[in-house]
Amino acid sequence: MRLSPNQAELRIRDEVRAFLAENLPAPEEIPADFDARVAYLRGWQRQLHEARLVNVTWPEEYGGRNATLMEQIVVNQELARAGAPALPGEVGLDVVGPTIVEQGTPEQKARYVKRILSGEDIWCQGFSEPNAGSDLASLRTRAEDKGDHFVLTGQKTWTSWAQYASWCAVLARTDLDAPAHRGISYLIVDMGSPGIEVRPLVQMTGDAEFSEVFFDGVVVPRENLLGELNGGWKLAMHTLTNERGPVVLSHQVKLRVALDALVADAARIRRDGAAAVEHPHVRASLARAHVAVEVLRHQAYRSMGTAIARGGAGVETSVDKLLMATADQRLGEACLEVLGPHAVWPESAPEGTSAQVGQHTYLYYRAASIYGGTAQIQKNIVAERILGLPRSA
Ligand SMILES: Cc1cc2nc3c(=O)[nH]c(=O)nc-3n(C[C@H](O)[C@H](O)[C@H](O)COP(=O)(O)OP(=O)(O)OC[C@H]3O[C@@H](n4cnc5c(N)ncnc54)[C@H](O)[C@@H]3O)c2cc1C
């Protein structure tokens, strides 16, 4: 993979830097309350979109720039390096949107894509069910085919952003007699439809980022079918590959920025009469996090090189996902080691340290080896599809 930027990449890098110099919100401007934070960050996404810096690879006619994947990576890395907040429309932008851009009809693209970019529409992904997570093909939500519409009945769970979403990408069974993977369709569901109930679930971070979603006889127009009837499994795999893959290069920058800040904190925070950084277990923990982030960085370049050469992400995203979760969790553990009691009592920490976010980082990243497909499932994929080992029972 080419590592030195070309002229177009340097141009867009400078454009992002100039934009951030003018517009980057200071951390204290971002509300702590989750609802208020989401509202604030929608404004931030709109600003970025107005500068045409959101999902630059998407077609120009829908608000992108037809840019290359490398240019997209440059934009994302600059945002991560500056500590720019994550965009609330991430499910639409990174997970469902790419599937619509590639597989949607011209009408579907015209209807959804611009509003995904601007943050006017937040999307959620209704795949997992109470009894269908790793074994997604056993899902039981049903969409009865009534000709010009479907009638949707069932339950989804762990649906991130559902309480804010205008649209949900739902996997539903449309053929009860077909083998599990073949009778599933991919439907775009208006979250304002009668018959939908969203019940937010509070995570151990204290935020209610995901919800249970119940569908009771919800009418979904046929024009909201994405791809072919009973062809949803292939699209779902495309969506999950996007969830696991292309974000990795900017994510490793985000982790590096957080780790560098933590190393600086370790020199300022005192424990048992010495700087935290003097304690062997703190040093060991920071070293473990450093190694995990470095490994992730190298893997990220390697798999992006493969994706660019191939023209799309592939099975290597399972390796990315495993290493990303490892690096996330090593960083979370290092936060607790460095902060010690300040992690649970941030007000006691020296001003300017990352104590306010340290405990959240640790708690949130416990989920990193679960969402987007668990670590065990990624290991199975690596074993079977990369190493050619026999299928697990
Ligand atoms: C923060 C967060 C956000 C999420 N957001 C969304 C979302 O927006 N939309 C959505 O659809 N889903 C979402 N999920 C759900 C996520 O995709 C599932 O939790 C995940 O796929 C695992 O499914 P499960 O929870 O049912 O666990 P299970 O599948 O029941 O697994 C339980 C345990 O058994 C292990 N296991 C299962 N099968 C095997 C096997 N064959 N071999 C070895 N081990 C196995 C798993 O690794 C796991 O450790 C989210 C989850 C989290 C934590």
Side-chain angles (χ1 to χ4, degrees), residues 69 188 196 212 223 232 323 334 351:
L69 186 54
I188 297 173
I196 298 184
E212 296 177 291
E223 70 213 32
L323 296 178
E351 211 174 311

Side-chain angles (χ1 to χ4, degrees), residues 125 127-128 133-134 158 160 203 210 367 370-371 374 376-377 380:
Q125 177 195 351
F127 285 15
S128 304
S134 302
W158 320 125
S160 301
Q203 290 163 259
F210 54 29
I370 303 173
Y371 55 64
T374 68
Q376 289 79 6
I377 294 302
N380 279 346

Side-chain angles (χ1 to χ4, degrees), residues 91 124-136 156-161 203 209-210 240 243 364 367-377 380 392-393:
V91 174
C124 60
Q125 177 195 351
F127 285 15
S128 304
E129 298 184 1
N131 291 310
S134 302
D135 183 14
L136 188 57
K156 297 292 172 179
T157 192
W158 320 125
T159 318
S160 301
W161 305 99
Q203 290 163 259
E209 189 187 290
F210 54 29
L240 288 172
E243 185 174 2
Y364 187 78
S369 48
I370 303 173
Y371 55 64
T374 68
Q376 289 79 6
I377 294 302
N380 279 346
S392 67

Side-chain angles (χ1 to χ4, degrees), residues 1-14:
M1 180 183 174
R2 173 176 56 82
L3 290 176
S4 48
N6 65 24
Q7 284 306 315
E9 289 152 9
L10 288 173
R11 255 197 314 276
I12 203 162
R13 184 198 67 184
D14 292 345

